[in-house]
Amino acid sequence: MLQLRKSNERGHANHGWLDSYHTFSFADYFDRNHMHFSDLRVINEDFIQPTMGFGTHPHKDMEILTYVLQGAIAHKDSMGNVKTFTAGEFQIMSAGTGIYHSEFNPSESELLHLLQIWIMPNELGVSPRYDQKQFADKEGATLILSPDAEGESFKVYQDMKLWRHQYKAHQKVELGLNSRRNYWLQVVKGNLTVNDIALATSDALGISAEELATIETSDEVEFLLFDLR
């Protein structure tokens, strides 16, 4: 079963300083048909104007992953972290028992473009934690999240894995899937087909009860593949 989520059908909120697109119901955007996908609760694509950002606010019992696509983000939290991370870097936080943090675009001229991803945890009340990393670009798949911090991946408190896939133009790749699990494919950039369904930048595809995903690329592509319960 394949569930297409076109980028122009997402929820949208433009606050001037923040232009945000919501894959799933979030804040004032509510769609009972797009509340979450398995344990994947939020994928927001945010464009933040120079010198603007989110003031200090709380989170609790959520796994929060941020992926910077353009620009830089300045982060400060109640764990004592004061960090800046730039395009190509990932940041993971377990909100656990509760954290406060702020995040803003420190540039005076460059737009900040990021994906913020929330995953519902399978363990509540964990000690809050923070980590950030830039994973090397490479052809094929890079493991970003896993329950046991496999390889160089971040630990996530959930039965899921997240892979970043990067391919050149005119490639055909077959990815074996577990038909008892659910997958969410989020296109970061480029044009491709997945099992003959055409996808472009910011489109997504939910995949259930399938054993194979056949990927064909039209140009250079990058996508995130969530392997979920």
Side-chain angles (χ1 to χ4, degrees), residues 4-55:
L4 179 61
R5 185 66 160 144
K6 297 293 289 182
S7 63
N8 62 357
E9 296 174 351
R10 296 175 296 176
H12 181 218
N14 191 335
H15 302 283
W17 65 274
L18 168 67
D19 194 13
S20 185
Y21 294 84
H22 311 314
T23 296
F24 305 109
S25 294
F26 184 84
D28 293 332
Y29 168 63
F30 176 80
D31 183 343
R32 66 178 67 255
N33 295 317
H34 296 95
M35 297 299 294
H36 60 90
F37 184 84
S38 181
D39 296 304
L40 184 56
R41 176 61 187 86
V42 168
I43 301 180
N44 287 348
E45 183 174 11
D46 291 344
F47 299 84
I48 301 171
Q49 293 295 320
T51 73
M52 305 300 289
F54 301 94

Side-chain angles (χ1 to χ4, degrees), residues 5-8 10 45 47 69 113 115 186-192 198-204 219-223:
R5 185 66 160 144
K6 297 293 289 182
S7 63
N8 62 357
R10 296 175 296 176
E45 183 174 11
F47 299 84
L69 304 178
H113 179 199
L115 292 177
Q186 183 72 42
V187 182
V188 176
K189 68 175 182 181
N191 295 276
L192 66 155
L199 300 174
T201 299
S202 299
D203 289 345
D219 46 25
E220 185 175 292
V221 304
E222 177 181 346
F223 62 84

Side-chain angles (χ1 to χ4, degrees), residues 15-180:
H15 302 283
W17 65 274
L18 168 67
D19 194 13
S20 185
Y21 294 84
H22 311 314
T23 296
F24 305 109
S25 294
F26 184 84
D28 293 332
Y29 168 63
F30 176 80
D31 183 343
R32 66 178 67 255
N33 295 317
H34 296 95
M35 297 299 294
H36 60 90
F37 184 84
S38 181
D39 296 304
L40 184 56
R41 176 61 187 86
V42 168
I43 301 180
N44 287 348
E45 183 174 11
D46 291 344
F47 299 84
I48 301 171
Q49 293 295 320
T51 73
M52 305 300 289
F54 301 94
T56 302
H57 59 280
H59 291 285
K60 186 177 181 180
D61 287 328
M62 192 66 70
E63 301 290 280
I64 301 172
L65 181 73
T66 301
Y67 181 22
V68 180
L69 304 178
Q70 176 189 343
I73 186 169
H75 166 96
K76 184 177 181 179
D77 64 44
S78 54
M79 293 177 279
N81 296 297
V82 181
K83 304 285 187 178
T84 298
F85 55 109
T86 58
E89 285 191 85
F90 290 84
Q91 175 210 68
I92 184 72
M93 290 191 301
S94 288
T97 54
I99 60 167
Y100 288 84
H101 78 131
S102 62
E103 47 197 350
F104 73 97
N105 180 356
S107 174
E108 295 185 355
S109 58
E110 187 176 9
L111 188 71
L112 169 59
H113 179 199
L114 59 85
L115 292 177
Q116 185 161 111
I117 297 159
W118 295 7
I119 297 154
M120 296 180 285
N122 60 5
E123 186 175 340
L124 303 180
V126 302
S127 297
R129 56 158 185 148
Y130 176 97
D131 201 358
Q132 71 183 71
K133 185 182 299 185
Q134 181 152 4
F135 295 85
D137 289 328
K138 69 174 187 179
E139 182 85 0
T142 300
L143 185 60
I144 306 297
L145 298 178
S146 65
D148 300 316
E150 181 182 332
E152 296 184 356
S153 66
F154 295 128
K155 176 180 175 60
V156 62
Y157 286 95
Q158 188 48 265
D159 175 18
M160 61 86 64
K161 290 184 178 180
L162 169 61
W163 300 84
R164 180 179 68 180
H165 289 256
Q166 297 170 300
Y167 299 104
K168 297 177 181 177
H170 311 302
Q171 302 293 306
K172 181 175 180 178
V173 180
E174 293 188 338
L175 303 177
L177 307 176
N178 183 338
S179 62
R180 295 184 299 276

